[in-house]
Amino acid sequence: MIRRDPRAERDAMVVSRTPRLRLDRTHRGGASLTRADAPVAAPTIIHIAEPAFLVFAVIEAAGGALNRHDRQVIGAARTLAGRDAAVVVLTPHLPSQAPDAIGTAGGDRTITLPTPTYDPERSAALIAQAITDHAPRHVVFPESADGGDLARRVAALTEADLFAGAESLTPTQAIRPAQAGRVELRATPPRLISIAPDRIAPYHGAPHAADPLPTPAAAATPGGIRAATTLAVDAATIPLDQAPLVIAAGNGVTDFAGFLDLARALGATPGASRVVCDAGALPRALQVGASGTVLNAECYIALGISGAPQHLQGIGTVEHIVAINTDLHAAIIARAGLAIIADAQDVMQALRAML
C-alpha cells in the first residue's frame, strides 16, 4: 500500500506560522498521498474542458507577478470550484511566463484586463461585463486596499451582496469575524466574496492549464479619473512594515555607509538587527524583530545576522529570505530559502560591483 506522508499534508495546509501556526484544514487541494522516497514524476496538467460552472478570481499582481495574497485568492476560488468547475483568473497585463504561474496556482482560464494605469472605474466595468458574459457562480477578490475597493465597486455595479473579509471558506460555508471579532458570521457563499490576507491556504495540487479567454468589451463611459501616473518613491522612506523588499545589517557588517549605498542600488528599504541598533550604528527605527518592526515583505536579505529568536519572530511572514553568514549552523540559515555561506562584507562588495 502507498503510505501517506502526514508532514507533506500538514505543510500543504499551512497559511502562516507567526504569530502562531495557522492551518486551513478545509482546503482540499493538499499534497498527494505518496511515499516520501518515491520518485517524483513530471506533473500532469489538469484540463477542465467542460466545467460545471465558473469561479472568478480577481488578482492584483502588483509588480507583474503573483504575490502571496493573489495565490490565496486563487486557492479560495479553487476550493469553491472543486474538481468539476473551472477557475477563471482575471488579471492585469502580465509577462509571458505568467500563465505558468497562474496554472501552478490553480487557474484554469485567464482573462486579461487592459488597464495599464490605475483606473478602478474601468476595471470594475470590465469585471462587471465579464460577469455578464460568463455568469460565474462566485467571484473572489483580495480584501486589500485596492482589491477591497474594486470588490465594492463591482458589487455596486452588479447590485450583488458582498461577503467581505472571509477568513474561512468551503463550497457550502463562508465565515468572517463580526462585532470587532467577538462573534463569527457564517453564511452560504454568495456570488461576491473578498478574502482576508493570510487566512486561506493557496493551492498545492497539480498545475492547471490556464488557457486564455477573450477580454471583455465594456462600454466606454467617462470616469472621474482623467490621468494616473506612477510616482517613484525612495525605498528608504517606506515604513519597514510596508516595504516589499528589505535588506538588513547585522553584527557581520562593518561598512554601514557601503550597506546604505547597496540598499539604494537595490531599491530596498534598509533595516538592522538589535545588536546594530544598540551599538548606535543605525537608527532604532530600522530595527527588525519582535522588539522592533515586524515585517510583511516579499523578500528579506539578511547580511551578517545570526537569527536570534526575537529577530526570527519579526520575519515570520516574509515569503523569501536570503541569508548571508559565515556560520553554516546559524538559525537564520535554517529559515532562509537561499543561504550564502560567506562574509557579508565580501558579498556586499560583489553586489555593488555587479550593480
Side-chain angles (χ1 to χ4, degrees):
M1 295 178 61
I2 296 178
R3 300 182 61 186
R4 296 173 59 193
D5 184 357
R7 294 184 182 87
E9 295 177 35
R10 182 182 177 88
D11 290 343
M13 293 186 292
V14 172
V15 177
S16 63
R17 298 184 183 274
T18 57
R20 67 182 187 276
L21 182 65
R22 185 184 296 277
L23 303 177
D24 180 10
R25 298 185 184 276
T26 64
H27 194 66
R28 296 294 183 262
S32 59
L33 306 181
T34 58
R35 285 173 44 184
D37 59 349
V40 179
T44 301
I45 298 179
I46 298 175
H47 292 267
I48 302 179
E50 298 181 0
F53 57 89
L54 300 179
V55 178
F56 280 6
V58 181
I59 63 173
E60 297 177 318
L66 273 66
N67 57 32
R68 185 170 67 241
H69 201 178
D70 290 335
R71 289 192 290 272
Q72 293 166 5
V73 168
I74 299 175
R78 186 78 264 160
T79 298
L80 292 172
R83 295 183 177 181
D84 299 327
V87 173
V88 181
V89 180
L90 279 69
T91 173
H93 179 72
L94 294 177
S96 58
Q97 67 271 23
D100 293 336
I102 292 175
T104 303
D108 298 289
R109 312 281 194 275
T110 59
I111 293 179
T112 300
L113 303 178
T115 51
T117 58
Y118 177 76
D119 192 347
E121 293 176 315
R122 176 164 173 77
S123 296
L126 289 171
I127 295 172
Q129 185 61 47
I131 292 174
T132 301
D133 295 342
H134 299 281
R137 180 175 294 184
H138 304 287
V139 183
V140 186
F141 298 84
E143 184 57 39
S144 59
D146 292 337
D149 172 75
L150 186 60
R152 286 153 179 81
R153 291 176 183 271
V154 173
L157 288 175
T158 59
E159 299 182 353
D161 294 334
L162 171 66
F163 193 90
E167 295 189 350
S168 180
L169 192 63
T170 69
T172 59
Q173 182 175 249
I175 302 175
R176 72 179 181 196
Q179 298 182 14
R182 292 189 295 270
V183 299
E184 287 184 341
L185 177 63
R186 301 169 182 261
T188 301
R191 167 170 273 191
L192 304 184
I193 307 169
S194 66
I195 303 299
D198 298 328
R199 292 298 183 270
I200 296 176
Y203 174 72
H204 288 287
H208 287 244
D211 298 322
L213 289 178
T215 299
T221 57
I225 298 177
R226 297 184 178 181
T229 304
T230 302
L231 301 178
V233 178
D234 184 3
T237 63
I238 301 176
L240 274 175
D241 58 349
Q242 300 177 21
L245 174 61
V246 177
I247 182 170
N251 204 30
V253 175
T254 56
D255 180 11
F256 292 100
F259 164 75
L260 294 176
D261 288 340
L262 176 61
R264 282 191 290 269
L266 286 172
T269 302
S273 67
R274 180 174 180 175
V275 174
V276 171
C277 294
D278 287 346
L282 289 174
R284 181 66 65 184
L286 300 185
Q287 181 179 330
V288 175
S291 56
T293 300
V294 176
L295 302 183
N296 191 31
E298 293 290 326
C299 182
Y300 175 65
I301 305 173
L303 291 165
I305 297 176
S306 61
Q310 294 86 353
H311 189 85
L312 295 180
Q313 291 174 17
I315 61 175
T317 61
V318 177
E319 188 165 5
H320 304 292
I321 295 179
V322 180
I324 298 95
N325 204 293
T326 56
D327 184 6
L328 176 63
H329 304 289
I332 191 72
I333 299 298
R335 175 65 177 85
L338 171 63
I340 302 173
I341 309 303
D343 184 82
Q345 290 295 139
D346 296 339
V347 175
M348 285 171 51
Q349 293 176 9
L351 285 174
R352 286 204 301 269
M354 292 175 67
L355 292 168

